[in-house]
Structures are given as structure tokens and as C-alpha cells.
Amino acid sequence: MAKTPLGKLKAAAIGMMELPRLDAKILAGFGALGDLSGTTSDALDDCDIAGAVPASLLRPTEPRARVVGQAVTVLNRAVSERRKVSGLAEIEAHHLAEPGDVLVVQGVPNISSMGGVSATVGKRQGEAGAIVDGAVRDIDHSRAIGYPIWSASVSPITGKWRIETMAVNDAVHIAGVEVRPGDLVIADECGVCFVPFARAAEVLAVAERLAASEAKRLKALGQGIALAEFVKLPR
């Protein structure tokens, strides 16, 4: 059944109600990578795609978490004067998310774009987690319920009266990387990678080749190969 907006945003502010969907084999292929973000970052380099963000810029609330999912995007901005009613409307994005999707928020420095209630809604919707270029709060709660978040900062300052959601499922910019709804999101302890939807299969093929080569090199090291021979092995 097709979903309809919840009424927290004007209809024109929602770029798309349904995401284009990647083949499940592509998602599974990325999920099978051992060094998830590192191998994906190398593959993006080989494909001349600037899509990797280090964990020093987007820190994980749960270092052991690994996320592979498609982006449901939210664009937030600071308001000039404090509101008397909440301007946050990421619930529209949660409403559109399908299990396994990742909430991707262009937020505001040092002001929380999401807290415990939003994380709980995302968890209930089956989201894999969230990426927030801005601040979040209540991270003890999000950790407790198993909803991992990668954020630029953590702050107790609520965005309810200070932030306005401008759009859902439209293009956003995360640490300088353009992310469109449906793009692939890769995240682990080392950082976050964004893979354009149209190039996901291409990037996966490169990543799998690099992972296989890395496995052979590590095996050779374990078997005691001389370094003079090791440096001759193909990448």
C-alpha cells in the first residue's frame, strides 16, 4: 500500500515517496566485505568517486556497528529566532523508510537534530541506523536500543525550537559529499561511505576484486613469504 505524508511538511518538500531499490544481491555483497568502509573507500577511489568520510568527522555511537543500507534523506537548517513549536519533521522520513534503510540528515552544528524519541521511531521502522552531519543527543538511549548513529557532534541542546526541516528525500550534503535518496550508505568504526545509486554495482565489483586481492596478500604473509616477493604481488 502506498504511503501518504503525515502532514508535518508541505507535500512539495518531500522529494519522493518511494526510493528506487537496489538489488538485494548488491546489499548482501557489500555486507560480506570484511573491511567494510576501508575496502569501499578504496573502490570509490578506483572509480573516481569522492564519497568517503572519516570517523573523525562522523563519529559512531557504537563502534562495533556495521551498516549497509539505502539513504532516506533529511535537510535541516537553523532558524533565525527560537520557535514556540517544534520545527523538526524527520518523522516524515522515518515514515517513508523501509527496513534496512539509513536515515541521512544534513543537520546543524552543535544543535541536536535527533534524540531518543526519533531513534526509537527509526528502530521501530527497522532502519539500520542514522548518519547526522550535525549534533544528536540521548546517545545512551540509542545505544541501548541498538540504533547506531554516526554524527559530527553530540549536544544536549534540542533542535525542536532551533531547527527547521526543509525537505525529505531530496539531495543533502554530508561532510561535503552529495547524497541523494536511494544512494547506498556504508558505515562502520572507521567511517562512512556514500555510493551513488547508479554506480553501486560497479563499485561493488571493484570492492570484491580488491577484497580478494587483499585476502591473497594476507595469506601469503601468514605463510611466511619473503618481503622481496611480497612487494611483487598484484594489488
Side-chain angles (χ1 to χ4, degrees):
M1 181 182 296
K3 294 181 180 179
T4 58
L6 298 174
K8 296 291 289 183
L9 287 174
K10 294 180 179 179
I14 301 178
M16 60 177 65
M17 294 297 295
E18 294 185 15
L19 298 182
R21 289 295 167 185
L22 292 168
D23 190 305
K25 292 181 180 179
I26 293 177
L27 297 172
F30 277 101
L33 295 174
D35 180 10
L36 181 58
S37 66
T39 304
T40 302
S41 177
D42 289 349
L44 289 170
D45 282 346
D46 277 17
C47 295
D48 293 321
I49 300 171
V53 180
S56 57
L57 296 182
L58 294 172
R59 301 173 184 85
T61 57
E62 176 47 72
R64 297 182 207 177
R66 286 167 49 100
V67 162
V68 177
Q70 292 187 247
V72 180
T73 63
V74 177
L75 174 61
N76 286 341
R77 74 171 184 186
V79 296
S80 57
E81 296 183 2
R82 283 183 57 178
R83 291 171 166 264
K84 294 184 178 180
V85 295
S86 177
L88 292 174
E90 81 281 357
I91 195 166
E92 292 281 8
H94 288 311
H95 176 57
L96 298 178
E98 297 293 334
D101 287 346
V102 181
L103 191 74
V104 177
V105 182
Q106 181 179 335
V108 175
N110 303 317
I111 301 175
S112 175
S113 280
M114 67 180 301
V117 171
S118 186
T120 300
V121 174
K123 178 69 174 181
R124 196 193 74 167
Q125 294 297 97
E127 294 168 14
I131 313 294
V132 182
D133 189 2
V136 298
R137 68 180 195 171
D138 304 335
I139 59 173
D140 55 341
H141 176 77
S142 60
R143 273 197 295 261
I145 64 173
Y147 185 83
I149 302 171
W150 285 254
S151 70
S153 63
V154 175
S155 170
I157 302 172
T158 182
K160 290 178 181 178
W161 331 121
R162 301 173 175 90
I163 289 176
E164 180 181 15
T165 298
M166 303 302 298
V168 163
N169 275 349
D170 205 344
V172 296
H173 289 84
I174 306 297
V177 178
E178 182 178 79
V179 182
R180 295 185 172 276
D183 284 353
L184 184 63
V185 183
I186 301 291
D188 62 11
E189 184 177 10
C190 291
V192 180
C193 294
F194 299 106
V195 182
F197 177 88
R199 302 187 68 181
E202 172 191 359
V203 174
L204 175 60
V206 175
E208 290 178 331
R209 174 178 60 79
L210 294 175
S213 175
E214 181 88 347
K216 290 179 181 179
R217 289 158 61 84
L218 290 173
K219 182 178 180 180
L221 285 171
Q223 292 174 339
I225 187 173
L227 293 184
E229 295 302 316
F230 176 74
V231 296
K232 298 176 185 178
L233 294 177
R235 175 173 176 262

